[in-house]
């Protein structure tokens, strides 16, 4: 897959500057959003329910008025340009196809409205259908199609217009897991063709961080209407700019603990991770100021390694290196195992720290959504999760030791 570099944003196809939406109810759904999408680029807007993703997308589409800030397509300010004149196509989660029209008629509908000559229309419909694997279904009606095929028709309807800006709002959320994965690559293929042919810029909304990370050239993380960070998937994973991004990106979510930073170690409850020259060593200079103070340490589940022979628990002495943990639950997922554990270390939930930091900022989002976004565990009393290869012999009730490369710790 091609990757558009972050520097490609000069000469952006879409440019949002200080884009803000305050609804008549007083809800500030989007707060000073600065985001650029380059020609040919695929940017994903991700965040928990109610964070303002859909509202931002609707402002770009022209379906929602802009309270303040500016929206430009190329050099042109389009704040007050009607949706029809914006050269934008949008695919929604709940796409509505015309039930009495065939697939071909559904796909070509907008072209007929625009009085595109018949031959040209047929060519574009056939081409879109070909890209989406609908070539053999052009004569069918929506009622005779599967959910995935219907979603493809909705995509087809958008791409025949060959828009300058392609907007998608959770287009895959009604599909089953397998189809969703398949459609991801199809959407990227379609977008790539549009990008090459017309320089189409794509903006895609989802609450699913896996979808965001696997699809986006760049990913923009939104929380409570505010852009927390925008970068390549790799940048977000390796250098999260905030606790929120650190815990939102990655599945299962990062384990967070309160810790004391000592000279040569990080101490979390009764756990001690030796970190040679902990504070002030290259790349971690900023930590020096926190020496002797409380910090929050992030441990990615995939960075915890079960020490060989640690499964039975017999004879493991407290002096032994590594983190001592009691296994509560093991979920075998086929290609990997999730090991839910408890260890003597004070766990921190990203949402707690978030609400402590700025209580007034919380906008929408049910408790259930936030718990899901933070990846809080299913196992009773567990305060951490590790991902291991499928055949590592651990069972619920075992006492294990984990090792972790100090380089893999997030502070
Ligand atoms: P979801 O993933 O659940 O769709 P979202 O991130 O897309 O969420 P939005 O739909 O943009 O979030 O909503 C952002 C905030 O604005 C929410 O608090 C929502 O309740 C509020 N909101 C959305 N539409 C309106 C409206 N028409 N009038 C008033 N408030 C609204």
């Amino acid at each position: 897959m091609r990757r558009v570099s972050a520097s490609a944003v000069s000469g952006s196809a879409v440019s949002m500057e200080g884009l803000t939406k305050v609804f008549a109810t007083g809800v500030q759904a989007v707060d000073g959003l600065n985001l650029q999408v380059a020609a040919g680029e695929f940017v994903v807007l991700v965040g928990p329910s109610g964070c303002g993703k859909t509202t931002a997308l609707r402002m770009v589409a022209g379906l929602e008025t802009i309270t303040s800030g500016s929206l430009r397509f190329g050099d042109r300010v389009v704040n007050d340009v009607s949706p029809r004149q914006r050269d934008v196509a949008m695919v929604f989660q709940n796409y509505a196809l015309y039930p009495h029209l065939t697939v071909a008629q559904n796909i070509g509908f907008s072209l007929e409205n625009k009085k595109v000559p018949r031959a040209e229309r047929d060519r574009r419909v056939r081409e879109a259908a070909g890209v989406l694997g609908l070539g053999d279904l052009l004569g069918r009606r929506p009622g005779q199609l599967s959910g995935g095929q219907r979603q493809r028709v909705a995509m087809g309807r958008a791409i025949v217009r060959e828009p300058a800006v392609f907007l998608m709002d959770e287009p895959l959320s009604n599909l089953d897991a397998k189809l969703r994965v398949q459609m991801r690559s199809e959407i990227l293929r379609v977008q790539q063709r549009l990008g090459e042919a017309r320089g189409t810029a794509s903006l895609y909304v989802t609450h699913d961080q896996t979808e965001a990370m696997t699809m986006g050239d760049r990913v923009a993380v939104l929380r409570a209407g505010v852009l927390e960070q925008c970068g390549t998937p790799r940048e977000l994973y390796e250098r999260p700019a905030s606790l929120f991004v650190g815990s939102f990106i990655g599945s299962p979510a990062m384990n967070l603990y309160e810790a004391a930073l000592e000279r040569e170690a990080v101490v979390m409850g009764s756990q001690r991770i030796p970190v040679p020259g902990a504070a002030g060593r290259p790349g971690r200079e900023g930590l020096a100021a926190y020496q002797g103070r409380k910090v929050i340490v992030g441990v990615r589940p995939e960075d915890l390694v079960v020490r060989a022979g640690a499964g039975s628990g017999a004879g493991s002495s407290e002096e032994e290196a590594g983190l001592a943990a009691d296994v509560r639950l093991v979920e075998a997922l086929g290609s990997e195992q999730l090991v839910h554990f408890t260890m003597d270390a004070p766990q921190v939930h990203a949402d707690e720290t978030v609400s402590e930091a700025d209580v007034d900022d919380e906008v929408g989002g049910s408790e259930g959504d936030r718990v899901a976004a933070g990846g809080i565990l299913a196992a009773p009393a567990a305060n951490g999760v590790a991902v291991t290869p499928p055949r590592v012999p651990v069972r619920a009730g075992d006492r294990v030791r984990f090792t972790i490369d100090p380089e893999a710790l997030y502070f």
Side-chain angles (χ1 to χ4, degrees):
M1 193 170 75
R2 98 249 162 268
R3 288 274 161 207
V4 178
S5 75
S7 62
V9 294
S10 60
S12 299
V14 179
S15 175
M16 298 165 231
E17 279 159 33
L19 208 64
T20 297
K21 177 69 188 185
V22 183
F23 283 108
T25 54
V27 171
Q28 179 150 10
V30 178
D31 185 1
L33 177 61
N34 295 312
L35 185 63
Q36 277 79 37
V37 189
E41 194 183 22
F42 194 98
V43 172
V44 180
L45 206 50
V46 69
S49 182
C51 70
K53 310 178 289 290
T54 295
T55 305
L57 200 73
R58 287 172 55 84
M59 284 194 280
V60 176
L63 301 172
E64 202 71 76
T65 58
I66 294 168
T67 307
S68 64
S70 96
L71 175 67
R72 277 181 295 137
F73 285 2
D75 296 332
R76 181 174 170 227
V77 175
V78 294
N79 284 42
D80 299 316
V81 174
S82 75
R84 283 175 158 271
Q85 255 121 46
R86 284 196 190 189
D87 199 5
V88 161
M90 186 154 168
V91 179
F92 301 91
Q93 174 181 346
N94 298 309
Y95 49 90
L97 302 178
Y98 299 107
H100 57 289
L101 300 184
T102 62
V103 167
Q105 288 165 332
N106 265 287
I107 293 177
F109 193 78
S110 67
L111 301 183
E112 201 170 333
N113 265 355
K114 279 208 265 176
K115 309 267 184 283
V116 173
R118 174 157 200 143
E120 164 77 1
R121 209 165 69 210
D122 287 350
R123 184 190 66 75
R124 276 156 75 169
V125 168
R126 268 199 313 276
E127 196 177 290
V131 172
L132 291 162
L134 293 169
D136 297 334
L137 307 174
L138 286 170
R140 290 214 199 158
R141 289 179 210 286
Q144 303 166 309
L145 300 175
S146 72
Q149 289 165 338
R150 267 182 245 153
Q151 183 55 283
R152 267 179 235 160
V153 177
M155 294 275 302
R157 210 166 47 173
I159 67 173
V160 276
R161 296 168 55 190
E162 298 175 354
V165 180
F166 191 15
L167 305 174
M168 289 160 271
D169 189 358
E170 309 244 9
L172 305 183
S173 50
N174 285 340
L175 304 179
D176 67 48
K178 194 169 164 202
L179 200 53
R180 207 152 52 211
V181 171
Q182 183 191 332
M183 284 292 290
R184 278 182 205 158
S185 51
E186 253 173 59
I187 288 177
L188 289 178
R189 208 156 40 91
V190 165
Q191 190 269 341
Q192 194 164 355
R193 281 179 68 134
L194 283 174
E196 280 161 10
R198 266 221 66 187
T200 299
S202 299
L203 189 58
Y204 184 104
V205 159
T206 179
H207 65 275
D208 179 345
Q209 65 87 30
T210 308
E211 206 163 284
M213 295 291 276
T214 52
M215 293 182 78
D217 291 320
R218 286 185 304 139
V219 176
V221 182
L222 211 58
R223 180 177 72 85
V226 177
L227 181 66
E228 289 262 320
Q229 189 174 3
C230 180
T232 63
R234 196 180 174 139
E235 281 165 357
L236 295 190
Y237 182 84
E238 290 180 354
R239 291 193 301 280
S242 66
L243 199 58
F244 177 80
V245 175
S247 63
F248 188 75
I249 297 295
S251 176
M254 190 188 272
N255 303 299
L256 297 171
Y257 303 101
E258 195 179 282
L261 189 64
E262 295 185 352
R263 242 190 128 62
E264 298 287 322
V266 169
V267 179
M268 321 187 292
S270 62
Q271 313 285 335
R272 187 180 182 86
I273 307 176
V275 184
R281 74 188 206 290
R284 295 256 162 98
E285 290 86 354
L287 275 178
Y290 288 90
Q291 176 116 20
R293 289 165 60 185
K294 287 224 159 75
V295 293
I296 293 173
V297 171
V299 182
R300 294 242 183 243
E302 53 275 31
D303 291 330
L304 286 168
V305 179
V306 178
R307 283 185 46 163
S312 71
S316 60
S317 91
E318 288 305 315
E319 286 81 44
E320 235 183 313
L323 303 170
D326 295 307
V327 176
R328 296 285 175 205
L329 174 76
V330 178
E331 288 181 87
L333 301 181
S335 62
E336 60 190 25
Q337 299 186 120
L338 300 188
V339 178
H340 300 275
F341 60 82
T342 316
M343 68 177 180
D344 178 29
Q347 187 183 23
V348 175
H349 296 288
D351 299 318
E352 288 167 15
T353 56
V354 162
S355 48
E356 267 169 33
D358 40 14
V359 178
D360 297 339
D361 257 356
E362 280 293 350
V363 178
S366 67
E367 186 58 27
D369 289 322
R370 266 182 266 132
V371 166
I376 309 300
L377 308 175
N383 68 356
V385 63
V387 178
T388 73
R391 277 173 284 278
V392 172
V394 284
R395 282 171 316 184
D398 284 351
R399 164 147 277 227
V400 295
R401 291 228 168 229
F402 293 112
T403 53
I404 180 166
D405 177 355
E407 292 298 328
L409 296 174
Y410 292 81
F411 294 95

